[in-house]
């Protein structure tokens, strides 16, 4: 079972991704939604998802900056 985190500033995009994932054959225990990069970093620390889907173009900390921050936290 996988814990998945979706970080996207567009609520409709997050909703669509959640729907696609729920209808897939992937075994999931939880889907975590984040509205921005800062929230995604906090959720990554607290929830430790196995799969992270990041929007590249988000205001504030974009997806690439968020990824670098998560990687620097010795996440793996």
């Amino acid at each position: 079972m996988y814990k998945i985190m979706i970080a996207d500033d567009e609520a409709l995009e997050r909703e669509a991704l959640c729907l696609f994932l729920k209808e897939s054959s992937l075994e999931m225990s939880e889907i975590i939604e984040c509205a921005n990069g800062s929230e995604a970093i906090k959720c990554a620390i607290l929830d430790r998802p196995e799969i992270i889907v990041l929007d590249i173009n988000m205001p504030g900390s974009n997806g690439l900056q968020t990824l670098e921050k998560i990687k620097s936290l010795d996440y793996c």
Side-chain angles (χ1 to χ4, degrees), residues 32-49:
I32 303 154
E33 294 184 50
C34 303
N36 58 53
S38 300
E39 190 178 329
I41 293 167
K42 290 176 189 173
C43 288
I45 293 167
L46 295 174
D47 298 315
R48 311 284 295 175

Side-chain angles (χ1 to χ4, degrees), residues 3-71:
K3 189 181 299 185
I4 300 173
M5 180 176 75
I6 298 170
D8 195 317
D9 60 317
E10 300 280 341
L12 187 59
E13 299 294 328
R14 288 194 312 272
E15 185 179 327
L17 282 170
C18 285
L19 180 64
F20 292 143
L21 287 169
K22 288 175 184 176
E23 291 181 356
S24 75
S25 61
L26 186 63
E27 295 182 15
M28 297 169 287
S29 61
E30 184 178 3
I31 298 176
I32 303 154
E33 294 184 50
C34 303
N36 58 53
S38 300
E39 190 178 329
I41 293 167
K42 290 176 189 173
C43 288
I45 293 167
L46 295 174
D47 298 315
R48 311 284 295 175
E50 287 87 17
I51 299 172
I52 300 174
V53 179
L54 293 168
D55 179 13
I56 298 298
N57 192 17
M58 291 187 287
S61 178
N62 69 33
L64 296 175
Q65 294 165 333
T66 300
L67 177 61
E68 287 300 320
K69 180 63 177 172
I70 291 171
K71 284 173 52 178

